[in-house]
């Protein structure tokens, strides 16, 4: 039982390490390997917890985190609902179900952060890990670590006014501050392979809180991306925008009222309240339900007194200021088809006028070739670099029978091979009949082919040749400009109905 408890707690690895280090010292063997081995074991077990700070009641007032600020930046509707949840926990029933994929992403994020920490320790850095206790204890630990001059402080807790949060890393750098001849910069880890605007805003919030502790705002902050590329940012380049956003957020929270709910139609994202927001729009019969309508078009219709999908169908208005009459006609027809398709097993549709003089809609379709390919690619973006794991295609064999071929990949080596095999196979069919085409739905397949061609440096000639000869035909463009369908979206899942 004792051994089992030690194993579960991770302490057995500590005991193991001590024994190994003693033996290594006795026989004059470098112990760095064993340090790194233990680090990886402890990080994998994650003996300390990480608090995901969200708005909370503290000292008879509401305490916010940098994450709350980013939620507001992304969606006032989501920000309102998060406050609603704080005030009334029963509204958690309105939240989206937990997404296993997002949970897995969170785990991947921890692993990414752990790998960066492990590299710091293996480099011999003096690392201070802040234990997850009360906020006051974490703040005290962070201040103590800063005063002691630790090279790296992980899970550092910072506060300012009614804001507080946990920074992934504080990195010690030269430069005077209240601490002495050094100060700290904030580093944050992100799974994304590309820089996103909100990363800078989040780091500015930590930089402002850090300034309170060391009397100096760091000139730089940094993001460690999912590919471990470090992006340095000048704090001053983003700080003014951050202060404006923070001021607007505080004003929003100060004037918050339960019954004054932001219009979900004014937001592109809804955070973890997507289904609730969509239900609101559905009950209101909002114009956003019309497939392919834009926000600008919605505003122009609303300014003309047209506020619902039913309004546009029943309206006798033929002209709306700043809205093309053909666009208005198309939106009306789209709305009519959607309403007539409600509660139907199959949606109604209408073929749009077309001619062969314009390469648009159905005119894009080419004559049939027995060498045609119908191609779909499935990818998993949530690992380092992403992985295109399934290349599937239907085609006709020599007897005119429909067949299916697939190329699978479970790692990057197999991905490279699948990419090469598919391109060789498709190019060979094109050489047999240069009038054949490869049909796909949406831009994903072409984007992936170009990306993998650049990543692996292979098949450039064949891919370029197929692209230059316009062998690929995007059926999404064909459908969107060739047919009206009584569905709120022209995604392939809706079109399949």
């Amino acid at each position: 039982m004792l051994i089992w408890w030690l194993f579960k707690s991770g302490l057995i690895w500590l005991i193991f390490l001590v024994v190994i280090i003693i033996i290594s010292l006795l026989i004059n063997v470098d112990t760095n390997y064993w340090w790194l081995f233990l680090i990886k074991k402890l990080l994998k077990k994650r003996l300390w917890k990480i608090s995901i700070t969200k708005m909370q009641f503290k000292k008879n007032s509401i305490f916010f985190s940098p994450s709350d600020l980013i939620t507001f930046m992304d969606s006032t509707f989501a920000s309102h609902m998060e406050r609603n949840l704080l005030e009334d926990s029963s509204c958690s029933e309105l939240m989206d179900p937990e997404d296993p994929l997002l949970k897995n992403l969170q785990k991947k994020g921890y692993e990414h952060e752990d790998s960066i920490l492990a590299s710091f320790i293996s480099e011999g850095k003096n690392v201070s890990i802040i234990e997850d206790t009360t906020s006051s204890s974490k703040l005290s630990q962070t201040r103590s670590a800063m005063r002691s001059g630790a090279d790296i402080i992980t899970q550092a807790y910072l506060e300012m006014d009614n804001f507080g949060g946990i920074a992934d890393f504080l990195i010690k750098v030269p430069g005077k501050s209240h601490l002495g001849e050094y100060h700290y910069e904030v580093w944050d880890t992100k799974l994304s392979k590309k820089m996103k605007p909100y990363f800078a805003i989040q780091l500015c919030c930590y930089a402002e809180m850090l300034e309170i502790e060391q009397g100096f705002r760091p000139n730089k902050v940094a993001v460690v991306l999912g590919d471990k590329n470090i992006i340095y940012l000048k704090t001053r380049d983003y700080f003014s925008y951050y202060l404006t956003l923070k001021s607007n957020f505080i004003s929003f929270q100060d004037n918050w009222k339960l019954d004054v709910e932001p219009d979900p139609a004014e937001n592109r994202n809804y955070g973890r309240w997507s289904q609730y927001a969509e239900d609101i729009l559905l009950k209101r019969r909002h114009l956003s339900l019309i497939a392919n309508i834009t926000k600008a078009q919605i505003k122009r219709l609303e300014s003309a007194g047209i506020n619902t999908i039913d309004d546009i169908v029943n309206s006798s208005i033929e002209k709306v200021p700043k809205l093309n009459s053909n666009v208005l006609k198309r939106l009306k027809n789209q709305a009519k088809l959607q309403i007539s398709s409600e509660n139907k097993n199959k949606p109604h549709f209408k073929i749009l006028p077309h001619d062969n003089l314009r390469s648009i809609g159905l005119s894009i379709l080419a004559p049939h070739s027995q060498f045609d390919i119908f191609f779909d690619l499935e990818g998993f973006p949530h690992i380092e670099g992403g992985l295109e794991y399934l290349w599937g295609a239907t085609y006709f064999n020599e007897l005119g029978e429909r067949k299916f071929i697939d190329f699978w990949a479970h790692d990057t080596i197999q991905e490279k091979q699948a990419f090469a095999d598919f391109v060789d196979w498709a190019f060979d069919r094109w050489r047999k009949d240069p009038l054949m085409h490869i049909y796909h739905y949406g831009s994903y397949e072409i984007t992936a082919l170009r990306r993998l061609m650049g990543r692996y440096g292979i098949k450039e000639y064949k891919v370029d040749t197929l692209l230059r000869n316009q062998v690929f035909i995007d059926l999404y463009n064909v459908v969107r400009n060739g047919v009206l369908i009584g569905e709120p979206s022209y995604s392939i899942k809706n079109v399949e109905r």
Side-chain angles (χ1 to χ4, degrees), residues 399-415:
L399 301 176
E401 300 170 329
R402 187 183 298 276
K403 295 293 182 179
F404 177 77
I405 188 171
D406 53 4
F407 306 86
W408 285 86
H410 299 92
D411 54 39
T412 54
I413 296 175
Q414 292 181 1
E415 179 186 61

Side-chain angles (χ1 to χ4, degrees), residues 31 45 178 216 220 279 374 390 461 472 477 482:
T31 59
K45 288 183 173 296
H178 289 170
F216 178 78
K220 300 193 307 293
D279 288 345
F374 302 88
L390 174 58
Y461 170 76
F472 293 91
N477 288 331

Side-chain angles (χ1 to χ4, degrees), residues 436-458:
M436 64 81 74
H437 287 84
I438 302 173
Y439 296 91
H440 58 100
Y441 200 87
S443 62
Y444 184 82
E445 284 74 14
I446 298 298
T447 302
L449 283 169
R450 285 176 170 149
R451 185 178 66 252
L452 295 180
M453 178 179 67
R455 175 185 296 174
Y456 297 119
I458 60 173

Side-chain angles (χ1 to χ4, degrees), residues 125-336:
K125 301 288 187 182
N126 175 16
V127 176
S128 177
I129 300 174
I130 305 304
E131 296 179 5
D132 185 21
T133 53
T134 64
S135 58
S136 58
S137 174
K138 287 184 290 187
L139 182 59
S140 177
Q141 291 177 62
T142 301
R143 287 171 173 169
S144 177
M146 291 174 68
R147 288 193 299 269
S148 70
D151 295 329
I152 310 291
I153 306 173
T154 184
Q155 299 302 296
Y157 182 77
L158 301 168
E159 277 189 6
M160 176 183 172
D161 300 329
N162 59 336
F163 269 81
I166 297 173
D168 289 347
F169 297 105
L170 297 185
I171 309 296
K172 182 183 176 183
V173 294
K176 289 184 179 182
S177 72
H178 289 170
L179 301 169
E181 296 298 320
Y182 65 91
H183 64 276
Y184 287 90
E185 294 176 348
V186 188
W187 283 24
D188 203 11
T189 57
K190 299 293 183 185
L191 274 181
S192 173
K193 310 301 184 298
K194 295 181 180 179
M195 180 65 192
K196 297 181 180 179
Y198 82 86
F199 296 169
I201 302 306
Q202 202 166 16
L203 283 166
C204 281
C205 191
Y206 285 119
E208 185 181 31
M209 291 188 285
L210 180 57
E211 182 180 4
I212 297 298
E213 300 301 330
Q214 63 185 14
F216 178 78
R217 184 188 308 157
N219 294 323
K220 300 193 307 293
V221 290
V223 180
V224 186
L225 299 177
D227 56 6
K228 297 189 178 180
N229 186 26
I230 302 173
I231 306 296
Y232 292 96
L233 307 171
K234 292 181 179 179
T235 312
R236 66 183 182 187
D237 290 348
Y238 308 92
F239 207 74
S240 294
Y241 178 81
Y242 155 72
L243 291 177
T244 301
L245 178 69
K246 181 182 176 184
S247 176
N248 292 338
F249 170 73
I250 292 173
S251 176
F252 177 83
Q253 294 294 337
D254 288 344
N255 294 290
W256 184 88
K257 293 181 181 178
L258 175 62
D259 56 349
V260 182
E261 194 170 78
D263 187 353
E266 296 295 322
N267 295 263
R268 292 186 177 182
N269 300 307
Y270 311 114
R272 49 183 180 172
W273 309 90
S274 297
Q275 190 58 58
Y276 176 58
E278 290 169 7
D279 288 345
I280 292 173
L281 295 174
L282 191 62
K283 289 176 183 177
R284 284 169 49 187
R285 307 281 290 174
H286 193 266
L287 288 169
S288 60
L289 299 176
I290 302 174
N292 300 322
I293 195 170
T294 67
K295 278 196 169 187
Q297 292 165 356
I298 289 174
K299 287 185 177 180
R300 286 161 189 164
L301 289 170
E302 288 176 338
S303 66
I306 300 173
N307 298 298
T308 69
I309 189 173
D310 303 292
D311 288 345
I312 194 171
V313 169
N314 298 325
S315 173
S316 59
I317 295 177
E318 296 183 356
K319 289 186 178 182
V320 171
K322 298 182 179 180
L323 186 63
N324 184 283
S325 58
N326 290 329
V327 172
L328 176 60
K329 183 179 179 180
R330 177 172 177 138
L331 291 174
K332 276 190 174 185
N333 289 334
Q334 177 67 46
K336 285 179 182 178

Side-chain angles (χ1 to χ4, degrees), residues 329-461:
K329 183 179 179 180
R330 177 172 177 138
L331 291 174
K332 276 190 174 185
N333 289 334
Q334 177 67 46
K336 285 179 182 178
L337 280 174
Q338 287 183 219
I339 291 175
S340 66
S341 299
E342 290 176 353
N343 302 317
K344 298 289 195 302
N345 290 328
K346 290 186 177 181
H348 295 163
F349 67 92
K350 177 182 178 181
I351 297 176
L352 296 173
H354 63 285
D355 61 69
N356 293 326
L357 299 178
R358 299 175 63 213
S359 295
I360 188 172
L362 297 176
S363 299
I364 298 176
L365 292 175
H368 170 70
S369 165
Q370 72 176 60
F371 292 95
D372 283 341
I373 295 172
F374 302 88
F375 173 43
D376 186 35
L377 179 60
E378 296 293 333
F380 185 72
H382 305 302
I383 60 174
E384 185 173 340
L387 183 72
E388 309 305 333
Y389 66 89
L390 174 58
W391 305 62
T394 59
Y395 65 100
F396 295 97
N397 65 12
E398 296 81 356
L399 301 176
E401 300 170 329
R402 187 183 298 276
K403 295 293 182 179
F404 177 77
I405 188 171
D406 53 4
F407 306 86
W408 285 86
H410 299 92
D411 54 39
T412 54
I413 296 175
Q414 292 181 1
E415 179 186 61
K416 180 180 179 180
Q417 189 62 53
F419 165 64
D421 291 346
F422 172 79
V423 172
D424 287 343
W425 176 73
F427 192 80
D428 183 59
R429 291 181 70 84
W430 176 74
R431 291 183 65 182
K432 292 176 181 177
D433 180 10
L435 296 180
M436 64 81 74
H437 287 84
I438 302 173
Y439 296 91
H440 58 100
Y441 200 87
S443 62
Y444 184 82
E445 284 74 14
I446 298 298
T447 302
L449 283 169
R450 285 176 170 149
R451 185 178 66 252
L452 295 180
M453 178 179 67
R455 175 185 296 174
Y456 297 119
I458 60 173
K459 307 302 175 184
E460 295 97 330
Y461 170 76

